Amino acid sequence: QLSPSDKLTLSPAVEEAKYTANAPGYETDGGTIPNTPKFSISGRYEHGFALPTGDLISWDVDAHYQTKVLTDFDFSNYPSANVPYLQKAYSIVNTALTFAPKSGKYSVVVYGKNLGNTLYKLTVYNPNPPSAYVSDPRTFGVMLSAKF
Protein backbone atom coordinates (compact mmCIF):
# COMPACT_ATOMS: atom_id res chain seq x y z
CA GLN A 1 0.00 0.00 0.00
CA LEU A 2 1.39 3.38 -0.99
CA SER A 3 2.00 5.95 1.74
CA PRO A 4 3.03 9.65 1.79
CA SER A 5 6.63 8.37 1.96
CA ASP A 6 6.28 6.70 -1.43
CA LYS A 7 6.69 8.02 -4.95
CA LEU A 8 5.54 6.02 -7.95
CA THR A 9 6.05 7.20 -11.52
CA LEU A 10 5.04 5.43 -14.75
CA SER A 11 5.91 6.84 -18.16
CA PRO A 12 4.47 4.92 -21.12
CA ALA A 13 5.19 6.04 -24.68
CA VAL A 14 3.75 5.03 -28.03
CA GLU A 15 5.27 6.50 -31.16
CA GLU A 16 5.69 6.03 -34.86
CA ALA A 17 8.56 8.06 -36.26
CA LYS A 18 9.07 8.09 -40.02
CA TYR A 19 11.15 10.17 -42.38
CA THR A 20 9.03 12.55 -44.45
CA ALA A 21 11.62 13.25 -47.14
CA ASN A 22 14.61 11.64 -48.76
CA ALA A 23 18.09 12.23 -47.37
CA PRO A 24 20.52 13.40 -50.07
CA GLY A 25 21.35 10.33 -52.15
CA TYR A 26 19.14 7.91 -50.14
CA GLU A 27 15.52 6.76 -50.34
CA THR A 28 14.54 7.45 -46.72
CA ASP A 29 11.03 8.89 -47.24
CA GLY A 30 8.59 6.79 -45.19
CA GLY A 31 11.36 4.81 -43.52
CA THR A 32 11.68 4.35 -39.77
CA ILE A 33 13.84 6.82 -37.88
CA PRO A 34 16.48 4.93 -35.86
CA ASN A 35 16.09 4.50 -32.08
CA THR A 36 12.33 5.05 -32.02
CA PRO A 37 10.62 2.02 -30.47
CA LYS A 38 6.90 1.66 -31.14
CA PHE A 39 6.26 1.23 -27.40
CA SER A 40 8.26 1.80 -24.24
CA ILE A 41 7.48 2.17 -20.57
CA SER A 42 9.61 3.37 -17.70
CA GLY A 43 8.69 3.19 -14.05
CA ARG A 44 10.22 4.29 -10.77
CA TYR A 45 9.29 3.55 -7.17
CA GLU A 46 10.88 5.30 -4.20
CA HIS A 47 10.25 4.89 -0.48
CA GLY A 48 11.73 7.05 2.26
CA PHE A 49 12.32 5.89 5.81
CA ALA A 50 12.60 8.74 8.34
CA LEU A 51 14.72 7.69 11.33
CA PRO A 52 14.05 8.97 14.87
CA THR A 53 17.28 11.02 14.61
CA GLY A 54 15.91 12.95 11.61
CA ASP A 55 18.20 11.13 9.19
CA LEU A 56 16.67 9.66 6.03
CA ILE A 57 17.15 6.33 4.29
CA SER A 58 15.54 5.96 0.89
CA TRP A 59 15.28 3.04 -1.48
CA ASP A 60 14.39 3.34 -5.14
CA VAL A 61 14.05 1.00 -8.05
CA ASP A 62 13.47 1.88 -11.68
CA ALA A 63 12.78 -0.23 -14.72
CA HIS A 64 12.57 0.35 -18.47
CA TYR A 65 11.12 -1.83 -21.24
CA GLN A 66 11.02 -1.14 -24.95
CA THR A 67 10.01 -2.98 -28.08
CA LYS A 68 12.44 -3.84 -30.86
CA VAL A 69 14.09 -0.91 -32.58
CA LEU A 70 16.23 -0.10 -35.59
CA THR A 71 19.45 1.29 -34.04
CA ASP A 72 20.81 2.71 -37.27
CA PHE A 73 20.51 1.88 -40.92
CA ASP A 74 22.70 0.43 -43.60
CA PHE A 75 23.02 3.21 -46.16
CA SER A 76 23.75 0.65 -48.87
CA ASN A 77 20.21 -0.75 -48.83
CA TYR A 78 18.00 1.43 -46.58
CA PRO A 79 15.11 0.94 -45.72
CA SER A 80 15.86 -2.79 -45.62
CA ALA A 81 16.39 -3.69 -41.96
CA ASN A 82 19.62 -5.66 -41.77
CA VAL A 83 19.89 -7.87 -38.66
CA PRO A 84 23.02 -6.19 -37.23
CA TYR A 85 21.08 -2.91 -37.08
CA LEU A 86 18.10 -4.30 -35.17
CA GLN A 87 17.83 -4.39 -31.38
CA LYS A 88 15.36 -6.90 -29.94
CA ALA A 89 12.92 -5.84 -27.21
CA TYR A 90 14.60 -5.61 -23.82
CA SER A 91 14.15 -4.47 -20.24
CA ILE A 92 16.55 -3.20 -17.57
CA VAL A 93 16.25 -2.69 -13.80
CA ASN A 94 18.31 -0.42 -11.52
CA THR A 95 18.16 0.15 -7.76
CA ALA A 96 19.75 2.34 -5.09
CA LEU A 97 19.78 2.74 -1.32
CA THR A 98 20.61 6.22 0.02
CA PHE A 99 21.51 7.43 3.50
CA ALA A 100 21.24 11.19 4.08
CA PRO A 101 21.79 12.62 7.58
CA LYS A 102 19.57 15.39 8.91
CA SER A 103 22.45 17.87 8.57
CA GLY A 104 22.35 17.52 4.77
CA LYS A 105 26.16 17.79 4.65
CA TYR A 106 26.67 14.47 2.89
CA SER A 107 24.93 11.39 1.53
CA VAL A 108 25.97 7.85 0.76
CA VAL A 109 24.41 5.86 -2.08
CA VAL A 110 24.84 2.14 -2.73
CA TYR A 111 23.57 1.29 -6.21
CA GLY A 112 23.15 -1.48 -8.74
CA LYS A 113 22.53 -0.77 -12.42
CA ASN A 114 21.38 -3.15 -15.16
CA LEU A 115 20.76 -5.86 -12.57
CA GLY A 116 19.80 -8.43 -15.21
CA ASN A 117 23.09 -7.80 -17.05
CA THR A 118 21.12 -7.14 -20.25
CA LEU A 119 23.27 -6.52 -23.30
CA TYR A 120 21.61 -4.22 -25.81
CA LYS A 121 22.82 -2.15 -28.75
CA LEU A 122 22.88 1.62 -28.39
CA THR A 123 23.92 2.29 -31.97
CA VAL A 124 25.49 0.43 -34.87
CA TYR A 125 27.87 1.91 -37.42
CA ASN A 126 28.01 1.11 -41.11
CA PRO A 127 31.63 0.09 -41.75
CA ASN A 128 32.18 -3.42 -42.99
CA PRO A 129 31.76 -5.37 -40.76
CA PRO A 130 29.26 -3.39 -38.65
CA SER A 131 30.41 -2.38 -35.17
CA ALA A 132 28.22 -1.36 -32.24
CA TYR A 133 28.22 0.60 -29.03
CA VAL A 134 26.47 -1.50 -26.40
CA SER A 135 25.02 -0.98 -22.94
CA ASP A 136 27.06 -1.00 -19.76
CA PRO A 137 27.14 -4.39 -18.02
CA ARG A 138 25.72 -5.02 -14.54
CA THR A 139 27.38 -2.40 -12.33
CA PHE A 140 27.51 -1.98 -8.55
CA GLY A 141 29.00 0.92 -6.68
CA VAL A 142 29.06 3.32 -3.77
CA MET A 143 28.87 7.07 -4.22
CA LEU A 144 29.64 9.66 -1.54
CA SER A 145 28.44 13.24 -1.96
CA ALA A 146 29.41 16.10 0.35
CA LYS A 147 28.65 19.83 0.69
CA PHE A 148 31.50 22.06 1.76
Side-chain angles (χ1 to χ4, degrees):
Q1 182 174 340
L2 293 175
S3 73
S5 299
D6 296 321
K7 294 178 186 174
L8 177 63
T9 306
L10 291 174
S11 303
V14 177
E15 67 181 327
E16 185 170 346
K18 304 277 185 186
Y19 286 104
T20 58
N22 288 325
Y26 301 102
E27 295 291 325
T28 55
D29 190 19
T32 301
I33 295 176
N35 292 309
T36 55
K38 291 191 183 293
F39 175 76
S40 66
I41 187 166
S42 295
R44 178 181 168 88
Y45 171 76
E46 182 178 346
H47 181 81
F49 303 89
L51 303 177
T53 59
D55 300 336
L56 181 67
I57 294 177
S58 62
W59 172 70
D60 69 76
V61 61
D62 66 83
H64 175 78
Y65 168 81
Q66 73 177 45
T67 57
K68 70 181 178 181
V69 68
L70 183 65
T71 61
D72 203 340
F73 51 85
D74 183 348
F75 284 104
S76 67
N77 68 353
Y78 187 79
S80 176
N82 289 348
V83 172
Y85 301 93
L86 293 175
Q87 170 55 56
K88 295 178 184 176
Y90 69 90
S91 60
I92 57 171
V93 176
N94 308 304
T95 192
L97 186 65
T98 303
F99 173 77
K102 182 180 179 180
S103 68
K105 293 193 183 252
Y106 70 93
S107 65
V108 179
V109 180
V110 177
Y111 64 87
K113 296 184 178 185
N114 191 4
L115 297 179
N117 204 27
T118 303
L119 179 67
Y120 56 95
K121 300 171 197 172
L122 300 171
T123 192
V124 178
Y125 291 96
N126 292 323
N128 234 346
S131 58
Y133 283 109
V134 297
S135 61
D136 290 333
R138 180 184 302 124
T139 306
F140 296 98
V142 176
M143 183 172 51
L144 176 64
S145 299
K147 293 181 183 177
F148 295 100

